[in-house]
Amino acid sequence: MIDSARANWAGNLTYGAAGVLTPRSLDEARELVTGAERVKALGSRHSFNDVADTPGLLLDLSGLDLPVTIDAAAATVTLGGAARYGDVVRQLDEAGFALENLASLPHITVAGSVATGTHGSGERHPGLAAAVSAVELLTADGSLHSFCRGDIDFAGVVVGVGALGVLTRLTLDLVPAFSVRQDVYDALPWPAALAHFDEIQAAGYSVSLFTNWARDVVDQVWLKNRVLRSASGGSLPGAEPPGSLFGAVPADGPRHPAHAAGVAAGNTTEQRGVPGPWYDRLPHFRLGFTPSVGAELQTEYFVPRAHAAAAFEALRGIGDRIAELLLVSEIRTVASDDRWLSPTTAGDRVALHFTWLPRQSEVEALLPLIEARLAPFAPRPHWGKLFHGEALDLAYPRLPAFRTLATRIDPTGKFRNAFLDRHVFAG
Ligand SMILES: Cc1cc2nc3c(=O)[nH]c(=O)nc-3n(C[C@H](O)[C@H](O)[C@H](O)COP(=O)(O)OP(=O)(O)OC[C@H]3O[C@@H](n4cnc5c(N)ncnc54)[C@H](O)[C@@H]3O)c2cc1C
């Protein structure tokens, strides 16, 4: 039986930590960090690997009651280290603001998301960490440090993979609130997907392709586009969704990403072109419902966008092997950013995501084959999902700088764990 207090969201990992503690104040959190030999922050537990684990203490910051403060003049919001996107989006919208982008679900904490380089989709939008303009970090000696955009170490601290300390406050950039319509197309022939990939990416503010790699069509294309924020919700000039998309046809009803695997659309955000607020269209899944499928595992690799078509062909070459274990794969584009350990640092990337059946040993046996197929394209892994690691490009240009920073900020390795030792500090 899974000890739910100690398990991650997917239930595939029981944390080996000595305890999960919920400090009631920042001072208490500081005391716990100071007194602990090994410690880490825990977010909403949506990671699929041991990135958040520690042999010491896990700190759940949800008891800290830190306020959400909107600075309308600066167009920023400051929130606490336990805030989930879904906790703040309505308040932002009511104040006339939005976040530029969101991941597929609003259930995840901002701190945990940016720590692992979490992203949404859209060729013009970098990962969620790019919206962070300042953080407050509780470090190993119990002191609080502020890092702001422009500070020398700032770009190293934001996607910290939990290695530097506890993010107690984060400040995010805001944009004016906007509305979005979401249109789903069925059955895009693979030859058209390959030939028109760039045009398809350009057809939406956020674009997702769903496939199992084995069929001769991409099962679905989701286009999310901004619309006028008026009662009519009319399209912005030039942004009318096409009647068909390179052979794909408008879906005749709501779709779950894993529709082809028989999953119904009950937990998805509104589709069929119905306009709605950014926070209720950019994520695929609604807060208040189990996101995605629930009984699942996830993996994701990022390859340079220039290699998108070749990487798709490499995966289609083992499509039958992948499909046996797959609920659905999602293809997204993510713009480049400057965060040192971001999977999309220094160049636009295509994100190749896999939602697996919960058959971990079989999935883990398949991952080396997938990574070998992608190896010519220098794939990087999602820090929060399952990966093998040997054939991956973990040589981020700023990795040496990150290691130096981590050693300076956390000299005794209080925030280190087995995951970081294997993938960030090895070698
Ligand atoms: C159904 C589902 C859908 C998903 N969709 C997407 C998606 O669309 N795009 C995408 O990129 N990813 C996606 N993910 C992955 C998810 O975004 C990441 O796993 C993310 O890290 C989850 O955040 P969390 O709050 O659950 O972090 P946790 O899993 O709790 O922790 C992750 C890491 O963050 C660190 N951390 C957490 N809080 C803090 C803090 N306050 N200070 C310092 N470090 C901290 C932890 O120590 C750990 O190292 C999805 C996951 C699931 C389960």
Side-chain angles (χ1 to χ4, degrees):
M1 207 178 78
I2 294 162
D3 173 0
S4 63
R6 295 288 179 82
N8 66 345
W9 172 84
N12 69 311
L13 180 84
T14 301
Y15 299 114
V20 182
L21 297 183
T22 309
R24 296 282 152 200
S25 67
L26 208 46
D27 281 343
E28 204 183 323
R30 295 173 69 177
E31 278 169 32
L32 286 169
V33 167
T34 311
E37 207 170 303
R38 302 293 281 272
V39 61
K40 287 195 84 62
L42 188 59
S44 52
R45 310 174 189 212
H46 284 80
S47 295
F48 292 85
N49 59 33
D50 55 344
V51 65
D53 207 359
T54 172
L57 287 180
L58 278 171
L59 295 190
D60 171 350
L61 303 185
S62 59
L64 289 191
D65 196 24
L66 296 169
V68 175
T69 312
I70 298 172
D71 181 338
T76 60
V77 60
T78 299
L79 37 75
R84 301 176 309 159
Y85 284 98
D87 297 333
V88 299
V89 287
R90 275 176 195 274
Q91 189 180 338
L92 296 180
D93 189 67
E94 281 162 17
F97 289 108
L99 295 165
E100 177 188 325
N101 211 357
L102 290 167
S104 71
L105 74 174
H107 308 60
I108 45 181
T109 70
V110 177
S113 299
V114 303
T116 58
T118 290
H119 62 96
S121 188
E123 62 180 358
R124 301 206 188 132
H125 311 298
L128 305 183
V132 178
S133 64
V135 295
E136 178 184 75
L137 187 72
L138 167 55
T139 56
D141 63 0
S143 56
L144 292 168
H145 299 264
S146 294
F147 298 86
C148 301
R149 190 181 275 141
D151 291 353
I152 188 158
D153 295 325
F154 176 72
V157 170
V158 181
V159 183
V161 201
L164 305 176
V166 179
L167 293 165
T168 46
R169 284 193 182 85
L170 301 96
T171 300
L172 309 180
D173 297 333
L174 300 174
V175 297
F178 58 96
S179 292
V180 175
R181 63 177 287 166
Q182 181 167 216
D183 295 274
V184 175
Y185 295 81
D186 282 342
L188 173 71
W190 260 112
L194 294 168
H196 300 288
F197 186 69
D198 287 344
E199 291 143 282
I200 293 166
Q201 294 312 308
Y205 182 91
S206 166
V207 178
S208 293
L209 278 63
F210 294 98
T211 178
N212 83 339
W213 304 107
R215 280 184 282 276
D216 53 10
V217 291
V218 170
D219 298 325
Q220 301 170 45
V221 181
W222 290 25
L223 298 185
K224 299 174 195 253
N225 265 306
R226 292 180 63 152
V227 292
L228 296 172
R229 205 163 224 232
S230 63
S232 77
S235 295
L236 296 174
E240 189 65 34
S244 73
L245 192 68
F246 303 107
V249 294
D252 60 6
R255 294 281 183 267
H256 189 280
H259 174 78
V263 183
N267 62 355
T268 48
T269 49
E270 184 79 60
Q271 302 163 10
R272 291 177 286 184
V274 179
W278 55 280
Y279 63 81
D280 204 19
R281 295 294 181 278
L282 293 177
H284 304 332
F285 304 109
R286 287 189 279 164
L287 194 64
F289 291 79
T290 298
S292 191
V293 176
E296 67 189 69
L297 300 168
Q298 295 187 11
T299 291
E300 191 164 29
Y301 301 109
F302 302 79
V303 301
R305 177 163 174 170
H307 298 315
F312 301 157
E313 291 294 56
L315 294 178
R316 292 180 72 215
I318 52 168
D320 289 340
R321 296 282 306 276
I322 295 173
E324 278 172 22
L325 294 173
L326 194 72
L327 283 157
V328 68
S329 260
E330 179 173 11
I331 299 167
R332 291 175 275 189
T333 44
V334 190
S336 176
D337 64 67
D338 70 348
R339 308 306 193 227
W340 298 356
L341 291 197
S342 163
T344 52
T345 196
D348 297 349
R349 294 224 160 200
V350 173
L352 307 164
H353 163 87
F354 304 79
T355 301
W356 302 110
L357 290 163
R359 288 157 55 179
Q360 185 149 352
S361 56
E362 292 162 88
V363 169
E364 283 177 345
L366 183 61
L367 294 180
L369 175 62
I370 295 178
E371 293 177 12
R373 299 283 296 186
L374 294 177
F377 317 115
R380 292 175 179 154
H382 191 304
W383 293 119
K385 302 185 183 181
L386 296 179
F387 62 94
H388 180 66
E390 269 164 32
L392 297 179
D393 175 17
L394 294 170
Y396 295 73
R398 302 305 307 273
L399 184 60
F402 182 83
R403 288 175 176 159
T404 305
L405 176 68
T407 308
R408 176 156 47 85
I409 294 185
D410 180 21
T412 63
K414 204 174 254 199
F415 292 96
R416 295 265 286 265
N417 63 9
F419 177 95
L420 291 164
D421 289 344
R422 277 196 312 276
H423 301 299
V424 175
F425 293 103

